[in-house]
Amino acid sequence: MKVLVAVKRVIDYNVKVRVKSDRSDVDLANVKMALNPFCEIAVEEAVRLKEAGTASEVVVVSIGSKSCQEQLRTALALGADRAIQVEAADQLDSLSVARILQKIAEEESADLILLGKQAIDSDNNQTGQMLAALMDRPQATFASEVVVEGETLKVTREVDGGLQTLSLKLPAVVTTDLRLNEPRYASLPNIMKAKKKPLDVKTPEELGAQLAAGVELVSVEPPAERQAGIKVSSVEELVDKLRNEAKVVA
Amino acid sequence: MSILIITEHDNQSLKPVTLNLVTAAQQIGGDIDLLVAGENAQGAAEAAATIGGVRKVILADNAAYAHQLAENVSKLVVELADGYSHILAPGTTTGKNIAPRVAALLGVNQLSDIISVEAADTFKRPIYAGNAIATVKSADAVKVMTVRGTAFDAAEAAGGSAVIEACGAVHQHADVSFVGEELAKSDRPELTAASVVISGGRGMGNGENFELLNKVADKLGAAVGASRAAVDAGFVPNDMQVGQTGKMVAPELYIAVGISGAIQHLAGMKDSKVIVAINKDEEAPIFQVADYGLVADLFEAVPELENRL
Ligand SMILES: Cc1cc2nc3c(=O)[nH]c(=O)nc-3n(C[C@H](O)[C@H](O)[C@H](O)COP(=O)(O)OP(=O)(O)OC[C@H]3O[C@@H](n4cnc5c(N)ncnc54)[C@H](O)[C@@H]3O)c2cc1C
Ligand SMILES: Cc1cc2nc3c(=O)[nH]c(=O)nc-3n(C[C@H](O)[C@H](O)[C@H](O)COP(=O)(O)OP(=O)(O)OC[C@H]3O[C@@H](n4cnc5c(N)ncnc54)[C@H](O)[C@@H]3O)c2cc1C
């Protein structure tokens, strides 16, 4: 079974982003960037399938400018075999990303395509579903457990009401949720080895992927800041405030 | 303009978030139709038909839609899409599962998790865990979007008398099937619809201690939530996670107990009207957003809170 993992370069999850003063976008200059945490979980899952002898090869792909090669190297250090960078604008829209991923998945004849459930920058939570639709293949989003049974996947999903289990025939698309696994740290020898693993660069034109248009970013503003309130000194005072000041408790 | 809303339901009844979507649709303007795709879903369709301001309810009742699998429902929606200017789905796990497939099949991008309607083609949505709000404009002929329910008031659940139109189209993807589900059973209100939410974090220490929160919740008619750390540690199930990558809540009152206030947690609750934090560390970032902060050991403060309510 061949596994394709889509990974995205995003702002580090510890960094609180600021809006540019001209409100055109957020300010990413000199901000620490990292592998999207959900993509890290996707890479870990793929590598575990390889270690278990279920997956034959793990290919990672990222779509963006050359800087995303850094995150591809991280994924290679975590255990992926090979990487592909598709040269495109950073912050390409999800439909374009999905169309490019479709071409790569076809070219690679991938059996399982793993993505993060959401990128923590755009918070869109849509690319995996779009890819599955374009390929007319089944999807299991928000996965917390993936079991491979021959040509079939049994996936447990974290849904609003609890957990749901689906059975999917391969090829299939799975997007990862937080509890799927705990990603490992890359060891220094593996980071060194990753530098020698193959990394191909392609373009959307070579792949024959048509880019979408449609959504325009008009402006970006900071959210309404909440003012810190007061400290109360006792539970009694708290209950009094909730009853008589905030009036949210009867 | 006309708008199609993919309703959230469990076949028998309609989930309250559908009412918030109707309000969002009214703000866009135009005829509003509701789709109920399910099996034996007459109950949900009847509830949908009584919502004020709805033109018609389309009921697709078939075994293929029993669990609202995205593969099947998305094709149904695409078949119905002709003539609609907007297709709205709730920002729930069901809506997020289906809507992007619809968008991709229609060849358009999706607008995710909108929180306000600026114009029929322009919307606001939070990005970067709510640390920035983007205004986005779509030039696509049909706008497919998910809507954050808590950002819109609920429409009137009664007063309407829309017609229910049966739709016989059946789409069944051969390569996916439902195996089972484990749904949390609770008599408490749903997290995203509750007017009071009390959440526990790593500070709760274990799952049994959540009983302390349950008792307060019973007195306040509250839902009980949790931080990711509490879910990861196995104290409580995943459906209780509040935050950027869990559920978004905006109750009248949110009580955070033993939660430090990481940006990912704040993203899911900082639109609450009144926030209370109980934490023994006075430096905890949660106090920066709390209207009322109590620096105390939760194991003393929470039982006392229960007694005083
Ligand atoms: C301020 C701002 C607002 C924006 N608003 C919108 C908007 O309203 N609508 C819109 O469509 N776009 C918008 N974009 C673009 C958006 O940020 C994303 O770049 C784009 O939608 C890509 O998908 P995603 O990050 O949303 O993916 P998600 O669906 O959130 O991510 C899921 C998974 O898809 C995979 N993936 C996503 N992108 C890549 C990639 N480049 N390479 C490899 N794998 C990838 C990863 O596995 C990831 O975990 C906006 C961008 C900015 C900066
Ligand atoms: C990709 C990603 C997504 C994430 N998504 C989410 C999300 O959706 N939701 C979410 O919540 N988190 C999310 N997180 C995790 C987040 O970053 C924090 O790690 C998490 O919120 C911390 O949970 P906590 O506040 O319960 O634990 P801690 O940060 O460990 O805080 C525990 C608090 O309890 C207090 N405490 C301990 N004992 C007591 C006592 N006896 N009495 C009173 N106070 C006490 C401590 O002072 C401390 O402030 C995400 C992280 C990542 C990387």
Side-chain angles (χ1 to χ4, degrees):
Chain A
M1 182 173 85
K2 189 161 171 182
V3 185
L4 180 68
V5 187
V7 301
K8 189 178 183 190
R9 172 184 168 91
V10 299
I11 187 168
D12 185 275
Y13 78 94
N14 282 310
V15 177
K16 189 169 169 186
V17 77
R18 304 229 168 268
V19 172
K20 284 185 186 166
S21 54
D22 68 358
R23 305 212 159 179
S24 60
D25 204 339
V26 296
D27 194 354
L28 293 181
N30 304 315
V31 166
K32 185 171 173 218
M33 302 296 278
L35 191 56
N36 180 39
F38 290 98
C39 300
E40 216 174 316
I41 295 171
V43 172
E44 176 67 32
E45 195 65 16
V47 172
R48 288 188 190 186
L49 288 171
K50 172 120 195 256
E51 288 168 347
T54 313
S56 52
E57 192 183 23
V58 176
V59 181
V60 288
V61 54
S62 191
I63 297 146
S65 65
K66 193 167 182 219
S67 48
C68 74
Q69 290 190 7
E70 194 188 325
Q71 278 62 44
L72 287 170
R73 291 288 173 201
T74 305
L76 293 170
L78 292 171
D81 297 302
R82 187 153 72 71
I84 303 168
Q85 179 216 344
V86 180
E87 178 68 39
D90 291 321
Q91 307 292 358
L92 196 64
D93 62 281
S94 304
L95 182 59
S96 300
V97 170
R99 284 176 176 167
I100 292 169
L101 291 175
Q102 181 192 8
K103 296 292 180 187
I104 302 267
E106 283 166 3
E107 221 178 71
E108 296 283 341
S109 314
D111 301 295
L112 170 62
I113 305 142
L114 286 165
L115 297 91
K117 82 162 175 179
Q118 90 193 56
I120 61 160
D121 51 357
S122 58
D123 283 336
N124 272 328
N125 196 328
Q126 60 191 24
T127 309
Q129 297 88 311
M130 288 180 158
L131 173 62
L134 296 175
M135 298 175 68
D136 197 18
R137 293 307 306 162
Q139 73 188 33
T141 50
F142 329 135
S144 64
E145 193 185 3
V146 177
V147 181
V148 184
E149 296 168 344
E151 292 299 295
T152 308
L153 287 185
K154 218 158 120 198
V155 184
T156 306
R157 310 174 54 228
E158 293 197 355
V159 295
D160 286 339
L163 297 171
Q164 182 191 62
T165 305
L166 297 179
S167 168
L168 323 174
K169 288 218 184 76
L170 296 172
V173 174
V174 172
T175 77
T176 61
D177 215 318
L178 294 168
R179 259 93 31 199
L180 182 58
N181 60 48
E182 228 176 288
R184 69 194 69 191
Y185 291 96
S187 67
L188 195 59
N190 284 343
I191 293 172
M192 301 312 290
K193 259 195 258 167
K195 293 188 176 154
K196 299 204 183 71
K197 289 186 180 176
L199 191 160
D200 282 347
V201 180
K202 301 190 180 213
T203 63
E205 297 73 49
E206 279 166 20
L207 292 162
Q210 207 198 336
L211 299 191
V215 178
E216 175 200 342
L217 183 62
V218 179
S219 65
V220 177
E221 62 196 284
E225 281 302 330
R226 264 193 107 91
Q227 298 300 319
I230 57 161
K231 289 252 170 70
V232 291
S233 57
S234 66
V235 174
E236 187 178 4
E237 188 188 347
L238 174 63
V239 173
D240 176 63
K241 294 281 184 200
L242 292 178
R243 279 209 176 107
N244 302 315
E245 192 175 86
K247 296 191 174 25
V248 285
V249 166
Chain B
M1 285 191 304
S2 52
I3 302 164
L4 180 66
I5 297 178
I6 303 172
T7 61
E8 182 93 356
H9 66 86
D10 61 4
N11 294 318
Q12 290 84 26
S13 61
L14 206 61
K15 294 286 166 77
V17 68
T18 303
L19 298 171
N20 307 94
L21 265 72
V22 169
T23 300
Q26 283 165 343
Q27 291 178 7
I28 294 167
D31 294 323
I32 301 172
D33 295 347
L34 304 189
L35 170 65
V36 176
E39 186 186 27
N40 300 325
Q42 187 69 27
E46 281 166 14
T50 65
I51 301 174
V54 171
R55 179 175 64 174
K56 73 173 172 193
V57 174
I58 304 167
L59 171 61
D61 205 314
N62 191 282
Y65 309 124
H67 302 284
Q68 298 172 52
L69 296 184
E71 294 78 356
N72 302 341
V73 178
S74 59
K75 289 204 174 155
L76 171 68
V77 174
V78 169
E79 184 176 325
L80 296 169
D82 208 24
Y84 288 106
S85 55
H86 298 74
I87 298 174
L88 273 53
T92 56
T93 49
T94 311
K96 287 179 197 164
N97 201 35
I98 296 169
R101 270 190 101 109
V102 173
L105 293 174
L106 293 172
V108 299
N109 261 301
Q110 174 185 265
L111 301 168
S112 299
D113 214 22
I114 64 150
I115 56 167
S116 91
V117 176
E118 303 296 302
D121 63 352
T122 309
F123 307 89
K124 287 194 179 181
R125 54 178 304 263
I127 51 176
Y128 295 92
N131 287 309
I133 308 292
T135 302
V136 289
K137 187 172 175 171
S138 165
D140 288 320
V142 50
K143 291 154 190 61
V144 178
M145 47 198 171
T146 57
V147 177
R148 183 177 295 188
T150 55
F152 296 90
D153 292 334
E156 281 300 327
S161 56
V163 289
I164 300 178
E165 201 177 275
C167 166
V170 179
H171 294 276
Q172 173 92 62
H173 199 293
D175 291 342
V176 60
S177 60
F178 172 85
V179 177
E181 64 192 354
E182 262 175 67
L183 297 186
K185 284 261 171 295
S186 165
D187 301 332
R188 297 205 176 83
E190 230 178 291
L191 206 43
T192 52
S195 61
V196 181
V197 173
I198 181 164
S199 292
R202 201 195 310 267
M204 297 303 297
N206 60 42
E208 288 80 68
N209 290 338
F210 266 74
E211 200 43 46
L212 299 172
L213 305 186
N214 291 343
K215 287 184 185 156
V216 176
D218 288 341
K219 286 212 164 162
L220 293 174
V224 181
S227 72
R228 174 190 173 184
V231 177
D232 282 5
F235 300 172
V236 290
N238 63 277
D239 52 87
M240 288 169 64
Q241 181 179 318
V242 171
Q244 180 190 12
T245 61
K247 287 182 184 162
M248 303 289 172
V249 304
E252 292 289 301
L253 172 62
Y254 187 87
I255 308 175
V257 181
I259 292 178
S260 61
I263 48 176
Q264 292 85 8
H265 189 80
L266 299 184
M269 46 64 80
K270 69 180 176 182
D271 294 329
S272 306
K273 191 162 156 253
V274 175
I275 297 176
V276 169
I278 300 177
N279 195 305
K280 67 177 181 189
D281 172 11
E282 64 176 323
E283 302 293 324
I286 189 78
F287 288 123
Q288 290 163 21
V289 299
D291 298 285
Y292 302 109
L294 177 64
V295 181
D297 188 310
L298 72 91
F299 295 104
E300 286 162 22
V302 176
E304 189 185 338
L305 178 63
E306 187 216 329
N307 285 332
R308 287 188 182 274
L309 287 170

